[in-house]
Amino acid sequence: NAGVTQTPKFRILKIGQSMTLQCTQDMNHNYMYWYRQDPGMGLKLIYYSVGAGITDKGEVPNGYNVSRSTTEDFPLRLELAAPSQTSVYFCASSYGGRGSNTEAFFGQGTRLTVV
Amino acid sequence: QKEVEQNSGPLSVPEGAIASLNCTYSDRGSQSFFWYRQYSGKSPELIMSIYSNGDKEDGRFTAQLNKASQYVSLLIRDSQPSDSATYLCAVGSQGNLIFGKGTKLSVKP
């Protein structure tokens, strides 16, 4: 059972480049999330989605875009990468029944460095 | 801005003692509450969820929720060195799932 799968695990980008972080889940979860975690810090919510076709901004959305065309996939797009986007990125998903968050499960993370 | 606050620690306890971790949140509409454990370099792992006021026990872990005080806590009984990690409190409402900065716990043998 795969759970939440993120790719790539590591990436180095040059300033101004773009990339897409992939996230897919096979648990038929409604809710999906993207977080970033800077060294020694907690998780900051970038974007989240409560179902296919629905996305919403979290705490730190600037510089990122998302889409949710299917239940399974929730890619995160970085346009014009900046050093401030150097971080570890986590994708997560949860069932989200009755309009409430249920337990979220995390992918392995993507360690991104912008130089 | 919805906020979740935790003491960053580090919290140091001797092996076999009770570790007490606390969390407060700002959004009164929050409906679900979670504790995650994160080892260095790893992704967060769910250890407890709680949805209604009171206590919920699972093995050595007890989560406590007081919605009136907007307060969530986690007790770890008989702490083990393997419990040494960062503990993250998370609060959910209508899809939005916000994490605190985490409390680093160190259990000394």
Side-chain angles (χ1 to χ4, degrees), chain A residues 11-21 34-39 44 46-47 60-66 76-90 110-115:
Chain A
R11 183 73 186 266
I12 298 174
L13 275 184
K14 293 185 178 177
I15 294 171
Q17 286 185 321
S18 301
M19 77 165 293
T20 299
L21 281 66
W34 273 106
Y35 293 92
R36 60 176 287 173
Q37 187 173 37
D38 298 330
K44 294 273 189 194
I46 305 171
Y47 272 96
V60 290
N62 291 344
Y64 306 95
N65 277 301
V66 294
L76 177 72
R77 177 87 178 157
L78 277 73
E79 305 281 2
L80 299 174
S84 62
Q85 293 178 305
T86 294
S87 191
V88 179
Y89 291 84
F90 288 103
T110 297
R111 189 174 297 273
L112 176 68
T113 303
V114 181
V115 296

Side-chain angles (χ1 to χ4, degrees), chain A residues 11-68:
Chain A
R11 183 73 186 266
I12 298 174
L13 275 184
K14 293 185 178 177
I15 294 171
Q17 286 185 321
S18 301
M19 77 165 293
T20 299
L21 281 66
Q22 301 292 346
C23 177
T24 187
Q25 51 93 8
D26 63 359
M27 297 175 281
N28 201 31
H29 283 169
N30 301 322
Y31 291 8
M32 294 188 75
Y33 316 85
W34 273 106
Y35 293 92
R36 60 176 287 173
Q37 187 173 37
D38 298 330
M41 302 294 286
L43 296 160
K44 294 273 189 194
L45 183 62
I46 305 171
Y47 272 96
Y48 66 100
S49 168
V50 299
I54 305 169
T55 62
D56 210 343
K57 294 178 181 179
E59 304 167 88
V60 290
N62 291 344
Y64 306 95
N65 277 301
V66 294
S67 60
R68 183 96 183 269

Side-chain angles (χ1 to χ4, degrees), chain A residues 31 33 35 37 41-43 45 48 50 59 90 99-104 106-108 111, chain B residues 31-32 34 36 38 42-44 46 49 51 88 92-101:
Chain A
Y31 291 8
Y33 316 85
Y35 293 92
Q37 187 173 37
M41 302 294 286
L43 296 160
L45 183 62
Y48 66 100
V50 299
E59 304 167 88
F90 288 103
S100 176
N101 302 68
T102 53
E103 292 84 352
F106 283 78
Q108 292 178 307
R111 189 174 297 273
Chain B
Q31 300 160 325
S32 47
F34 309 95
Y36 285 80
Q38 187 176 28
K42 301 293 186 183
S43 53
L46 179 75
S49 60
Y51 299 92
L88 301 166
S93 176
Q94 301 291 331
N96 201 336
L97 184 64
I98 302 297
F99 281 78
K101 291 183 180 177

